[in-house]
Amino acid sequence: MIVIFCISGLEVGFLEEITFRLEAVTPLFIAGADQRNVEGEGLRASSLRGLLRWWFRALAGCRVGGDVKFLRRVESGIFGSTDLKSRVFLRTWCESSPTQITKRCSRWEEAVVWSDYIDYLFFSCLDKRKEGGGGIRVASRPYYQEKSKFRVCIFGDEDGLRAALASLWSLVYLGGVGFRARRGGGCLKITEVKGDTFELDFICKSPNRLEEFLRDNIEVALNMVGSLFGRGERRPDLMPKYAALIPNHSALLIKKIDARSWGEALDEIGK
């Protein structure tokens, strides 16, 4: 879909629009500038843009190596800076409401929220403490529970969309959002896509083909970002000092777990 995009009444131009519907797979602990108002903040476009920029740099590493100045120049040309306007625009909507766990109990065994292992993985998002009189108070950060739904619209020109789409795919399948994203929190899945995503496939239709799906789409994402640099072949010998996906130097481990829920799967990983 092509739209005329405007900011503050000023016409930017004709931009392609791609819409995604996402769903939380594991609890999503996020908060914006006002951490007391999670419901009003939600999955903010500015926070999502920051995550996309991080993954853009990770995908670009095998092309630019340690040439951080060149990387910054191309990144700013796509996502914008104080001197350059962005070629990518984001809008986000939260279609679910956050929740918060609060309870009081008399024994530590009763203070377990999900499981011993999951509570350990999410420990900084759970406050468990003794109260006067011998009781125990348990409170979590506000969070979006599993199956919470979100909508993201991305607008941009072709190069901007290629960068944003490759970064979003990597965020969803290789990363996470919010607190404890490196411990299993904030995992998302895409349930619906409207618009041209070029060669990228955002929905894995068969778990039995997950390894092939990941391998093929990582290759596509690397090529989509690499094409923006105009530097020909990849240079895996130029190892950057920042986190990057480098062929023959990066590893992705897949473990098959017989689980009926995210809790059982994360509990097994925690063990």
Side-chain angles (χ1 to χ4, degrees):
M1 178 178 180
I2 297 177
V3 298
I4 299 178
F5 199 79
C6 300
I7 297 178
S8 301
L10 298 176
E11 183 177 308
V12 174
F14 292 91
L15 302 178
E16 190 74 23
E17 175 189 5
I18 304 175
T19 302
F20 297 89
R21 289 191 178 275
L22 301 95
E23 184 177 296
V25 178
T26 60
L28 180 58
F29 300 93
I30 52 175
D34 184 0
Q35 297 192 17
R36 296 166 299 178
N37 183 25
V38 176
E39 188 165 5
E41 297 283 334
L43 182 62
R44 300 187 306 159
S46 58
S47 299
L48 180 59
R49 177 183 293 273
L51 291 168
L52 296 186
R53 295 183 79 136
W54 192 96
W55 280 103
F56 176 81
R57 293 191 289 270
L59 292 167
C62 65
R63 295 282 184 170
V64 301
D67 193 345
V68 178
K69 290 184 178 179
F70 181 51
L71 173 61
R72 184 181 296 116
R73 187 163 66 249
V74 176
E75 178 187 336
S76 297
I78 295 294
F79 292 99
S81 66
T82 55
D83 301 317
L84 297 170
K85 72 177 183 180
S86 176
R87 297 165 67 178
V88 178
F89 303 93
L90 305 174
R91 294 189 66 189
T92 62
W93 294 266
C94 293
E95 299 179 343
S96 301
S97 298
T99 187
Q100 183 177 17
I101 293 173
T102 57
K103 67 177 183 177
R104 286 176 169 79
C105 45
S106 57
R107 299 182 303 162
W108 284 110
E109 292 81 0
E110 300 171 350
V112 175
V113 175
W114 290 288
S115 74
D116 287 333
Y117 294 105
I118 296 177
D119 285 13
Y120 174 74
L121 292 173
F122 293 167
F123 81 95
S124 62
C125 296
L126 294 173
D127 183 15
K128 301 180 181 182
R129 64 179 67 189
K130 286 186 176 181
E131 291 186 315
I136 300 170
R137 179 179 180 275
V138 180
S140 71
R141 284 178 177 265
Y143 70 97
Y144 290 89
Q145 59 188 341
E146 65 278 9
K147 296 186 179 181
S148 293
K149 293 176 173 52
F150 308 89
R151 184 158 53 98
V152 173
C153 284
I154 303 178
F155 308 85
D157 60 18
E158 183 172 336
D159 284 349
L161 285 177
R162 284 181 177 273
L165 292 174
S167 302
L168 179 63
W169 186 94
S170 302
L171 169 64
V172 170
Y173 282 99
L174 305 179
V177 176
F179 298 103
R180 311 311 288 172
R182 297 186 179 184
R183 296 294 183 272
C187 294
L188 299 171
K189 70 175 181 179
I190 293 177
T191 59
E192 183 182 339
V193 182
K194 291 183 179 179
D196 181 10
T197 60
F198 302 97
E199 302 89 356
L200 270 176
D201 186 356
F202 275 87
I203 299 178
C204 181
K205 301 176 179 63
S206 173
N208 295 327
R209 297 184 61 250
L210 178 61
E211 181 178 350
E212 179 184 351
F213 173 86
L214 293 173
R215 182 180 63 248
D216 292 348
N217 283 282
I218 288 174
E219 182 71 17
V220 171
L222 287 170
N223 288 334
M224 287 173 67
V225 169
S227 66
L228 303 175
F229 290 84
R231 284 198 164 186
E233 296 299 321
R234 297 174 187 164
R235 294 293 306 277
D237 56 310
L238 301 177
M239 293 294 290
K241 294 183 179 180
Y242 51 88
L245 283 171
I246 308 293
N248 301 322
H249 292 277
S250 301
L252 179 62
L253 305 181
I254 301 174
K255 181 178 181 180
K256 186 175 182 180
I257 298 175
D258 185 14
R260 293 169 295 179
S261 68
W262 72 269
E264 290 185 7
L266 198 55
D267 192 61
E268 180 64 27
I269 292 173
K271 296 177 181 179

